Amino acid sequence: MPVRRLARLRAAAPWIAATLMVAGIVHIATILIMPEVSPRDAFARIEGLGPRATVIPIAPARPGRELSTFNDPAAAIAVCRYDLADGPLRLGAQIAGDEFVSFSFHTRDNVAFYAMTDRAALRGAIDVVVYTQDQLDSAEAQDPEDSAPADRRLVSPTREGFVYMRSLASTPGQAEEAAARLRAVLCGVEGG
Amino acid sequence: MRPQLLVRILLVLAIGAGLGFATSWAALRNGVAFDLVAAGPWVAAPRLASRARDPYAAAALARAGETPFDLAEGLVFVARADASGAKLDGACVYRVKGPTPPARFWTLTLTDQQGRLVENEARRYGFTSTEIVREETGGFEIVVAPTARAGAWLPAPADRRFALTLRLYDTPSAAAAATLQADALPQLLREQCL
């Protein structure tokens, strides 16, 4: 009896191995493909909020009213989505005071390729232009020979992407002030 | 091809695919990720915003739709358990005390274990470093409890487990997250349970 059982097991072994191999391939494939196919990734959620190349404030995170999970209710949030086919994107902000404000630049698939806080402001201002590599090349070709550009120039690894802005209200009473700081940010197509 | 063989091949494909989908779903649901940094009960994923994040983290992020912190913005720690390793339970009273790593600001937020804010009558979902009166040692103390407490009270949902998120804004610790020890982060001490 045990001999027969062993023989049956031996016959089934290649089938079990094949099943596990299929399972492994499907597992790896679904994990790898998820970022490409997720209908509810950050970019898709932001896309649903409004047009591109403009600052869109996101209502403060409150129970039942959140764009995603794990939000800081103390931070005002705004986004500016871009498609560089429209032209380069210019982002400008005046920084006053010592409250935390940050700008992070994300690709279509939510990789931050650059981030800065208010501490990176030069003479009280943040001035950034996001280009494709080609746009940057032609912008540089038009630069006057002897002067350094006044703005910070970034190359977006993807044509589409978004700027995510956080502005911290250090007490609940300052929530409106924190949101106003982001509403005052300029974000739009360069020369548009 | 013999029909019996065809049936076996189809079975292998169907069961294999089913297992594959099930394990992926379970991995995303349980937040499997490989480049996490743990300091006591606090867990951070410092590379979550970068290209270098692991595929599981990338998949979970795409599903959750979150926009994680870049290291230049700060560092985020999440705790789902207390100092003893027991899950944070809304029916218990916890004292959150001690130091925080150096940062310009920090905030402590209470959510359910999935990261959603929890409704409460006090409309208190977290504290910022500015709101907390520091002890002379530079530490602080917040009480997490389902019913009102004196001092800095963070309301917890009595019927659920919860999670605490510590966000360090503009911190020099971001680049050195992996070297942070548990004693550099707030302690989560459980007191009595209801």
Side-chain angles (χ1 to χ4, degrees):
Chain A
M1 196 61 173
V3 176
R4 194 185 290 170
R5 197 175 286 172
L6 201 67
R8 281 179 101 182
L9 199 66
R10 225 176 246 171
W15 296 101
I16 293 169
T19 306
L20 291 179
M21 218 160 83
V22 170
I25 290 166
V26 169
H27 176 78
I28 291 167
T30 47
I31 293 294
L32 290 181
I33 211 166
M34 181 54 107
E36 314 297 324
V37 301
S38 172
R40 296 281 293 144
D41 67 356
F43 190 85
R45 288 170 201 234
I46 288 166
E47 221 171 6
L49 295 177
R52 51 184 192 251
T54 183
V55 174
I56 300 176
I58 296 177
R62 291 294 176 264
R65 287 198 289 122
E66 295 185 84
L67 190 64
S68 66
T69 43
F70 288 106
N71 294 295
D72 191 341
I77 303 292
V79 291
C80 178
R81 174 169 66 93
Y82 62 78
D83 182 342
L84 296 177
D86 301 338
L89 184 87
R90 179 175 286 277
L91 180 101
Q94 300 297 317
I95 302 295
D98 190 41
E99 297 294 346
F100 177 94
V101 182
S102 71
F103 304 90
S104 58
F105 298 78
H106 295 253
T107 62
R108 172 72 182 76
D109 51 354
N110 207 357
V111 169
F113 60 92
Y114 193 78
M116 62 203 293
T117 69
D118 55 293
R119 289 278 162 93
L122 291 172
R123 288 179 292 278
I126 277 176
D127 220 348
V128 182
V129 187
V130 185
Y131 297 99
T132 63
Q133 186 62 55
D134 286 351
Q135 287 166 346
L136 179 63
D137 291 347
S138 62
E140 281 178 342
Q142 288 168 16
D143 278 343
E145 285 286 327
D146 51 352
S147 68
D151 36 38
R152 208 173 301 241
R153 296 173 167 192
L154 308 178
V155 171
S156 173
T158 55
R159 202 192 75 215
E160 289 181 293
F162 61 95
V163 187
Y164 199 83
M165 308 167 217
R166 304 176 206 266
S167 170
L168 200 64
S170 45
T171 63
Q174 282 166 300
E176 175 44 36
E177 219 175 290
R181 279 197 293 273
L182 295 185
R183 283 198 301 272
V185 172
L186 298 173
C187 185
V189 177
E190 171 84 313
Chain B
M1 200 183 283
R2 283 182 299 147
Q4 203 190 354
L5 187 65
L6 189 68
V7 166
R8 279 191 185 174
I9 289 172
L10 287 176
L11 263 179
V12 163
L13 291 176
I15 296 173
L19 272 176
F21 281 119
T23 50
S24 292
W25 183 79
L28 293 182
R29 198 189 133 83
N30 297 323
V32 171
F34 293 102
D35 47 8
L36 298 177
V37 169
W42 297 100
V43 178
R47 298 204 293 177
L48 197 53
S50 80
R51 182 70 66 194
R53 65 193 171 204
D54 75 72
Y56 287 91
L61 198 64
R63 198 162 158 266
E66 288 164 28
T67 302
F69 274 43
D70 184 90
L71 290 182
E73 297 175 279
L75 190 60
V76 179
F77 285 92
V78 178
R80 290 185 169 85
D82 66 14
S84 74
K87 294 267 187 230
L88 294 173
D89 186 339
C92 301
V93 177
Y94 296 88
R95 216 159 274 282
V96 184
K97 60 187 288 187
T100 50
R104 240 171 99 195
F105 296 101
W106 56 258
T107 64
L108 184 79
T109 311
L110 187 146
T111 61
D112 65 15
Q113 294 229 316
Q114 284 74 45
R116 294 175 297 230
L117 296 173
V118 183
E119 194 73 67
N120 65 76
E121 275 182 22
R123 293 191 188 166
R124 170 59 81 175
Y125 314 109
F127 282 99
T128 70
S129 47
T130 310
E131 292 178 276
I132 296 295
V133 182
R134 292 237 167 183
E135 292 168 10
E136 281 171 12
T137 52
F140 71 97
E141 187 167 302
I142 292 172
V143 182
V144 182
T147 51
R149 303 281 147 161
W153 169 50
L154 190 51
D159 57 343
R160 257 169 290 167
R161 286 175 172 173
F162 65 91
L164 291 172
T165 304
L166 178 70
R167 291 183 176 82
L168 306 172
Y169 286 90
D170 219 348
T171 171
S173 306
T179 62
L180 275 178
Q181 300 294 313
D183 60 10
L185 288 153
Q187 280 183 287
L188 304 176
L189 302 171
R190 184 160 93 176
E191 299 192 335
Q192 77 277 15
C193 294
L194 299 183

